Amino acid sequence: ASKIPLNPIGCGFEDKTTSMTPKISVIVPVYNTGEILRKTLDSILFQTFKEFELIIIDDGSNDVSIKICDEYAAKDARVIVIHQKNAGICAARNTGIKIAKAKYLTFCDHDDLYDPRKLEVQYNLAIHYNADIVNVGYKTVSDVSQKSELIQMELVCHDRNELKNHILDITYLQISTIWNKLYNAEKLRDIFYFNEDYTKGHEDINFNLMLLQHVEVFVSSKEVLYEHIQRKMLSTSAKIHKETLYGMKTHIKNFMALTDSFHIDMTKNNILYYRNLSRILRVYAVYSIKADLLKTSFLSDMKDLHIPYTHVLWHKFHKEIPIKDLFVLWCIIAKQYRLLYFALKCYVSITKI
């Protein structure tokens, strides 16, 4: 992406008498976060870009999070706090979306951290390119192993034709997160909401897949401006539930709907399409086993997927796809659902994943 001159305009708490029209709305759902919440809120409020509102949705907390939310609202004019009964992360985000005043919206998980320049960089890129989505790099850190990983992509798509050429790269590398993205919610208003049926994960993936069917300008910077901390105790998707499988199954269907919207011909040498699809299917199949899905239910689910053009995969791409993914796809192509079930049972048991 083009380098745009940045003009820091200060940071810190804003006096309660301050009045402004926000250019960005930052939405943070909170649920029993504890004292960790302070670091998250400070990282947002101490931005070089000041013209934003911070909407905190307390989703039925019963710990010190309630007090912390109200404390920050009392001392900073940009902070708005809504307390509601526990309804889940999607409902909490939708509450924030409904009251947001800004043209551009972004999100933050209640235990993650913003780089001080995150909003400034994203806003400048959004204005410069008239972008519908501005993506930035992020770092994931495990609170257990302390291992970290950087996820980055440099890309500018000025219109749907350019986006079509890169959509499979985007879905492979950047589809699963919302907190490192700035969205033009004004343009996407009619579809800018979260499906509240997703209660155990995959809400972010399906949200992005839905939006990308209507996006024209997509910009991604390699600058790492968000830190996602994987905390075992706080993650909403750390455990596998049957509701998780619902989100994953919808992910498969939404991915195929997205490729249809771009009229991508899967029968051609489109290795990226099959890498995307094979990975999704393998993870879905493994998660089905981990969730102790009954054998009959597993077989029914596999038969119900209706994956198109899978015969093409075997002839053209079988040497370019990881063996684990390839095995799952071969079983689906050959309709060997029982073999797949028992093989995955053994795999999960041996690897203890």
Side-chain angles (χ1 to χ4, degrees), residues 58-75:
D58 166 34
D59 191 37
S61 297
N62 53 27
D63 69 349
V64 71
S65 303
I66 304 170
K67 177 183 176 182
I68 294 173
C69 291
D70 291 339
E71 174 188 323
Y72 275 75
K75 65 183 180 182

Side-chain angles (χ1 to χ4, degrees), residues 148-165:
S148 64
E149 180 184 9
L150 297 181
I151 310 296
Q152 299 165 281
M153 171 184 277
E154 189 85 21
L155 181 66
V156 177
C157 298
H158 297 88
D159 54 40
R160 289 286 286 182
N161 286 331
E162 289 187 13
L163 187 57
K164 176 180 179 178
N165 294 331

Side-chain angles (χ1 to χ4, degrees), residues 33-44:
T33 318
E35 290 293 335
I36 296 171
L37 180 60
R38 293 184 185 277
K39 290 183 69 174
T40 298
L41 298 182
D42 286 345
S43 77
I44 298 170

